Amino acid sequence: MDEPAPALVELRGVNKHFGDLHVLRDIDLTVRKGEVLVVIGPSGSGKSTLCRAINRLETVDDGEILVDGSPIPAEGKALARLRTEVGMVFQSFNLFAHKTVLDNVTLGPRKVRGASRKDAEEEALTLLRRVGVENQARKMPAQLSGGQQQRVAIARALAMHPKVMLFDEPTSALDPEMVQEVLDAMVALAKEGMTMIVVTHEMGFARKAADRVVFMADGQIVEESDPDTFFTAPTSSRAKDFLSKILVH
Amino acid sequence: MSEFLDILKHYDVLGAFWVNIQLTFWGALLALVIGTVLAVMRISPLSSLRWAGATYVNIVRNTPLTVIMTFLVLAVWTQLKISLAHDFALNFFLFAVVGLGVYHAAFVCEAIRSGVNTVPAGQAEAARAIGLPFLAAARIVVLPQAFRGAVAPLGNTLIALLKNSTVAVAASVATESSGAMKTMIEFRPDYLWPIFLTFAVGFVVLVIPIGLATTGLSRRLAVTR
């Protein structure tokens, strides 16, 4: 047996409230380097909040979140630096609407890492080719399909050379026929060894690429197992109930 | 008709309008700079900056422009002896520009803020997620889109500023059009209506293109999402 890879993202006793709502309850979670973690659960279970807390788009009330061994900074330059190490892909893509696809991908490297335009564009085109949208580089985001936009968003996040990638329901806003092209790009990324935390209901992806599935309900981690066990033999009644709803229509 | 020609021949009506146009240009420039800074303060993550921005807007927006202009000349210049230029007329002109700028900055700020509201929150989140600090995210991602969404309200502010530039007469800029009109009526009460109509129509002619241009621009610049 190999020695387990070092922990890249650690949550220890994390709690968060939105007013009276306790959205994250005593979350303890460790994601190791190279691991692909799928977070699944009913809406309102806190899975998106969990994902967003890891690059501090949401603050937490107490507990600790560590990325690569150090606690995430509260604000300022240190926080900005942390965010370059944590790539984020949103449900609604959030490509910069006033910039071309190429500029979307080069913005971070140029303005944050100080790369030259030439180097940034060269790398951006490589990344866009990797996700299959290189020929759209000069277009504006609104001219692309949802699936293409989301693949550009993946390339934009990768351009910062993140240590871990967060995906917050990356296929939920897509038309059904575009889901697969985005999942394919994500599977490819997983195979290359990227550490990923993916909030999704896509079982196909979980089965193909995930090392571990975490099931959340009411702000708590209810169940944690490998994908096959989770989908075929869930132990908690909440997970069984949830799976029966998403599997049988 | 001959009355109008007579007026235009004997008085420098175009010169008077030209003063208003210059006041408007420099006033708008100043208002845009201060207003943008205020808008950034009002959307910043620091509560003290947000408070300062809101306080400025609420005080200045609710103070009559004539009060600001009169204060600048009678208090700042006469009493505090602060001069903006050696030349007498230029000094008053600059005070008028400052008055127009600081006053309309409050409106520019609110126009830009309404533009910021047209930018989805996800744009700023995506900017922060790739590691842009607040100011860079505002400058590169949020404000360029906010300005496009704010063209129409900014146009309205510019129209108000052009008309309000006549308040410069309260800062002793006697050469601008309402000051010129006052002089003309004093000397030619027989031309009462032609004089009034000359200035009224003059402003309409200046304002309508601004309205048309901003409507056109806001359509053309709109960000497609």
Side-chain angles (χ1 to χ4, degrees), chain B residues 154-173:
Chain B
L154 283 174
N156 287 339
T157 306
L158 182 62
I159 288 171
L161 202 163
L162 174 61
K163 296 197 287 176
N164 286 342
S165 68
T166 56
V167 180
V169 80
S172 308
V173 180

Side-chain angles (χ1 to χ4, degrees), chain A residues 9 11 14-16 24 46-61 64-67 72-73 79 82-83 86 88 166 168:
Chain A
V9 177
L11 288 84
V14 170
N15 277 286
K16 178 173 179 71
L24 294 179
K47 54 194 193 308
S48 275
T49 311
L50 174 82
C51 190
R52 291 162 56 85
I54 296 169
N55 70 352
R56 213 179 154 81
L57 285 177
E58 301 284 354
T59 56
V60 297
D61 301 336
E64 253 191 322
I65 302 178
L66 295 95
V67 172
I72 57 175
L79 176 59
L82 166 102
R83 285 181 171 142
V86 181
M88 176 99 188
L166 309 173
D168 184 8

Side-chain angles (χ1 to χ4, degrees), chain A residues 52 80 83 94-98, chain B residues 122-123 125 128-129 140 145:
Chain A
R52 291 162 56 85
R83 285 181 171 142
N94 295 350
L95 293 181
F96 305 128
H98 62 309
Chain B
Q123 295 285 309
E125 283 186 351
R128 284 151 66 200
I140 301 169
Q145 298 184 60

Side-chain angles (χ1 to χ4, degrees), chain A residues 141-180:
Chain A
Q143 295 172 282
L144 270 59
S145 74
Q148 291 170 328
Q149 288 191 53
Q150 194 61 300
R151 286 184 281 155
V152 174
I154 293 172
R156 176 176 68 179
L158 289 175
M160 299 308 293
H161 308 155
K163 291 176 179 164
V164 51
M165 288 277 285
L166 309 173
F167 293 82
D168 184 8
E169 303 206 33
T171 57
S172 303
L174 293 175
D175 290 332
E177 75 271 24
M178 292 165 187
V179 169
Q180 201 52 48

Side-chain angles (χ1 to χ4, degrees), chain A residues 93-112 117 121 128 136-144 148-149 152-153 156, chain B residues 119 123 126-127 130 132 135-146 148 221-225:
Chain A
F93 331 134
N94 295 350
L95 293 181
F96 305 128
H98 62 309
K99 296 205 172 279
T100 64
V101 163
L102 189 61
D103 287 344
N104 262 274
V105 182
T106 58
L107 185 67
R110 289 179 56 211
K111 303 291 177 183
V112 179
R117 176 186 281 272
E121 288 190 349
L128 289 171
Q136 314 288 335
R138 306 285 164 187
K139 289 189 185 165
M140 300 303 279
Q143 295 172 282
L144 270 59
Q148 291 170 328
Q149 288 191 53
V152 174
R156 176 176 68 179
Chain B
V119 184
Q123 295 285 309
I130 57 169
L132 288 173
L135 266 185
R139 185 172 54 84
I140 301 169
V141 175
V142 179
L143 285 180
Q145 298 184 60
R148 292 159 181 235
L221 292 180
V223 182
T224 4
R225 299 190 190 281

